[in-house]
Amino acid sequence: MNFEMTAEELAVIDSAEQVAREVIQPLAQHYDETETFCLASIRALGDLGCMGINLPEEYGGLGIGSLAMSRVVEAVAGACASTASAMTAHFLATDSILLGGTEEQKQEWLPRAASGELLAAFALTEPAAGSNPADMRSRAVREEGGWRVRGSKHYITNAKEADFIVLYVKTDPDAGHKGISAFIVPRGTTGISFSSPEKTMGLRGSTIYELSLDCWLPESALLGVEGQGFNTAMAVLDRGRVEVAAMSLGIANAALQASLSWVRERQIGPKPLAAYQGTQWRLADMYAQLESARMLTMKAAARRDSGERFSLDSATAKLVAAECAGFITDAALQLHGGYGYSRDLPLERYVRDARILRIFEGTSEVQKIIISRALLDAAK
Amino acid sequence: MKVLACIKRVVDYNVKVRVKADNSGVDLANVKMSINPFCEIAVEEAVRLKEKGVATEIVVVSIGPTTAQEQLRTALALGADRAILVESAEDLTSLAVAKLLKAVVDKEQPQLVILGKQAIDSDNNQTGQMLAALTGFGQGTFASKVEVAGDKVAVTREVDGGAQTVSLSLPAIITTDLRLNEPRYASLPNIMKAKKKPLEVLTPDALGVSTASTNKTLKVEAPAARSAGIKVKSVAELVEKLKNEAKVL
């Protein structure tokens, strides 16, 4: 397995890390406390040319490998997880068009999304269809010259801020998952209403909404081929899980780095916290878990570019990285004691932000289903 | 107008430098390297001059090891048009660097040469001045403002107690101070495009310059560790200590 990156990819990571550290990180606490959309950070990423790191050059993307892409996601997440969430939600939408759209749709939407001119959202989840998208109830029915779409979606990141939404609905309710199709819904489409931003535990700078749909869409809004929505969404989520794993590494590493500074400064009795074996063992456990998750993420990223099936790799990376982020952020807060619990330091934010990683883009339990299914299929 | 921007590869300013165990120098193994911050300001100023329509071509030059190509690529991503590396693995003195730059100036015939006022590794603050002496060009050092008009350039200099403005005939040498500008970030698409821009590699021999050094570094040491402070009980005691122990009053 090849983990090497080009000189340009290394320079891309370097520049993204600089912007993450100098521009995005200083805004993170503000967006978390005010629970407002991380607009300036997303604009900074747009100016940097970061909103197309998931796309090939022919559609205005950067044309870098997934290994480098995941390092950029990690850097952004380490600075502000909300910003990374808004950015990767945009990637889910543009990946949907890349994998499921017609050539014309790719040319129309992807270059402007890659340049940061347009922000995108990905609308799959419904109140009664989370882990199993086939349970979705939102429907599109053919009306003369187009489609009438009715239903609702919830927990949709960027929905209200987005310039377009990639929307997944049933076009044939009797065909199970084969009856799902995707549509591109531009901002300003009549008949879509948004709730207030949902009140969430973490990622408070990345606003999520419930959508109510009763709108008409032209035939050209259908993404690619009717009935292909489920396959597109699953392929997009396979890719997206590498990004969630990278986000997990970013938050976990930020918590570990904060801890390493803290334990050398914080005096307990005559010695710094770092001099106690209990601290040392805890730090070693944090590091070992982080590096294990990192290797799995790198493997999944490398497989993502190989053209082979990588559902097993991306599910394993996502499961382990998200769980490790939970462990590491909690351990980091514990090392900080009362100071970690205070909102003056980012430790409690890391804990809150990391919690969703075990839930969205497939819960840990769903990842285990994907993993065991792949193992059992291979053993047949 | 052609502008020559000069950059040096140095240890990144965020890195805590460590001295080698044998005191022969700073440990560079696996250390992040970057463009010297003052040199980055030089590149940014050149790019701004081009954006204003004053400069027509920006050539960026560095003198250093093969790996300095990384910093040249960054400068190309920031907006330089082409790059020259004068490759040398030696630890060069300021004079040797100035002689090599003089040779590049002779070859390229720029109207303006912009350099950082000093590098954050050796802190010499010599190369720009030496290059001015070797070329005979006017120099505006420690620039906080640069305005080109016709065949003149007005340079506002940061000097003790204020600012001094000098007018130089082109071609001229400028060295940058911190206030001149705030460098942009290299955008990711520009980083990818920079690999297609030309980068020429030269050697001191090809330029006919001898880099033989008259200096020898004897020893490099870390700064002495600071001792802990003390608390005083009264203002009188503070004044007494400042007078008799610190001897600063």
Side-chain angles (χ1 to χ4, degrees), chain A residues 24 27-39 41-42 45 51 73 75-90 119 157-158 200-208 247 251 349-350 352-354 356-357 360:
Chain A
I24 295 172
L27 297 170
Q29 187 181 9
H30 164 77
Y31 286 127
D32 179 65
E33 284 185 354
T34 57
E35 301 190 38
T36 47
F37 178 70
C38 50
L39 184 63
S41 298
I42 286 293
L45 290 175
M51 298 304 273
V73 172
V76 175
C80 174
S82 292
T83 304
S85 181
M87 178 178 78
T88 51
H90 172 87
L119 182 69
T157 304
N158 301 345
T200 55
M201 173 182 177
L203 299 185
R204 292 183 180 180
S206 165
T207 38
I208 65 174
M247 273 183 71
I251 302 171
R349 170 160 58 85
Y350 296 151
R352 286 187 287 107
D353 286 348
I356 190 64
L357 301 167
F360 69 5

Side-chain angles (χ1 to χ4, degrees), chain A residues 8 11-12 14-15 19 21-23 48 62 64, chain B residues 13-14 32 185-189 191-192 195-196:
Chain A
E8 289 75 32
V12 159
D14 199 37
S15 193
V19 170
R21 184 175 60 239
E22 293 176 6
V23 182
L48 186 66
L62 208 56
I64 56 172
Chain B
Y13 71 95
N14 288 303
K32 181 170 157 53
Y185 299 106
S187 85
L188 308 189
I191 291 171
M192 300 303 283
K195 69 181 167 188
K196 297 191 181 101

Side-chain angles (χ1 to χ4, degrees), chain A residues 6-9 11-19 21-23 47-50 53 57 62-64 72, chain B residues 12-14 18 32-34 40 70-71 73-74 183-196:
Chain A
T6 64
E8 289 75 32
E9 288 177 327
V12 159
I13 294 165
D14 199 37
S15 193
E17 285 178 345
Q18 193 186 2
V19 170
R21 184 175 60 239
E22 293 176 6
V23 182
D47 291 344
L48 186 66
C50 202
I53 54 170
E57 275 177 293
L62 208 56
I64 56 172
V72 173
Chain B
D12 187 86
Y13 71 95
N14 288 303
R18 289 176 201 278
K32 181 170 157 53
M33 306 295 283
S34 296
E40 214 175 358
E70 293 166 15
Q71 282 64 47
R73 290 285 175 206
T74 302
R184 68 197 64 194
Y185 299 106
S187 85
L188 308 189
N190 284 346
I191 291 171
M192 300 303 283
K193 284 176 203 151
K195 69 181 167 188
K196 297 191 181 101

Side-chain angles (χ1 to χ4, degrees), chain A residues 58-69:
Chain A
E58 56 188 308
Y59 301 119
L62 208 56
I64 56 172
S66 296
L67 219 48
M69 185 272 324

Side-chain angles (χ1 to χ4, degrees), chain B residues 86-160:
Chain B
V86 181
E87 197 170 313
S88 171
E90 290 171 58
D91 191 11
L92 300 173
T93 60
S94 303
L95 184 58
V97 171
K99 285 178 180 172
L100 289 166
L101 289 176
K102 161 76 164 61
V104 174
V105 167
D106 288 345
K107 182 173 175 287
E108 292 289 336
Q109 299 288 316
Q111 288 297 98
L112 203 56
V113 183
I114 313 181
L115 309 88
K117 72 169 181 180
Q118 68 194 72
I120 61 168
D121 52 2
S122 53
D123 269 340
N124 284 335
N125 189 348
Q126 292 171 328
T127 303
Q129 294 88 330
M130 287 176 168
L131 180 62
L134 292 172
T135 54
F137 297 171
Q139 59 178 312
T141 50
F142 321 135
S144 62
K145 194 174 176 192
V146 171
E147 276 183 294
V148 178
D151 60 352
K152 301 261 186 209
V153 54
V155 179
T156 304
R157 307 180 58 232
E158 305 249 333
V159 293
D160 286 348

Side-chain angles (χ1 to χ4, degrees), chain A residues 136-157:
Chain A
M136 69 169 61
R137 292 181 190 157
S138 296
R139 282 210 56 190
V141 179
R142 272 191 196 280
E143 273 188 9
E144 204 167 324
W147 297 83
R148 171 61 54 183
V149 180
R150 289 197 178 91
S152 65
K153 294 279 163 187
H154 81 165
Y155 300 148
I156 307 305
T157 304

Side-chain angles (χ1 to χ4, degrees), chain A residues 191-312:
Chain A
I192 301 184
S193 57
F194 303 93
S195 67
S196 307
E198 310 261 2
K199 299 282 183 197
T200 55
M201 173 182 177
L203 299 185
R204 292 183 180 180
S206 165
T207 38
I208 65 174
Y209 301 88
E210 183 165 349
L211 276 69
S212 299
L213 306 156
D214 184 358
C215 60
W216 180 88
L217 296 173
E219 189 61 44
S220 61
L222 176 70
L223 185 74
V225 179
E226 187 181 341
Q228 278 298 307
F230 184 80
N231 287 345
T232 302
M234 290 305 108
V236 165
L237 290 174
D238 275 346
R239 285 165 67 86
R241 283 175 190 132
V242 177
E243 289 148 30
V244 176
M247 273 183 71
S248 308
L249 299 180
I251 302 171
N253 188 46
L256 176 59
Q257 295 308 320
S259 301
L260 290 172
S261 306
W262 177 260
V263 298
R264 279 178 294 183
E265 283 171 23
R266 173 73 170 144
Q267 294 279 320
I268 304 286
K271 297 186 288 188
L273 199 49
Y276 293 88
Q277 196 176 50
T279 305
Q280 295 162 3
W281 285 16
R282 195 190 290 264
L283 290 171
D285 285 338
M286 292 161 77
Y287 177 77
Q289 285 211 17
L290 179 65
E291 288 304 293
S292 311
R294 184 181 300 286
M295 289 310 292
L296 288 169
T297 306
M298 289 169 74
K299 183 183 174 199
R303 286 293 289 268
R304 175 173 142 156
D305 291 344
S306 70
E308 300 164 51
R309 264 188 78 84
F310 66 105
S311 304
L312 175 62

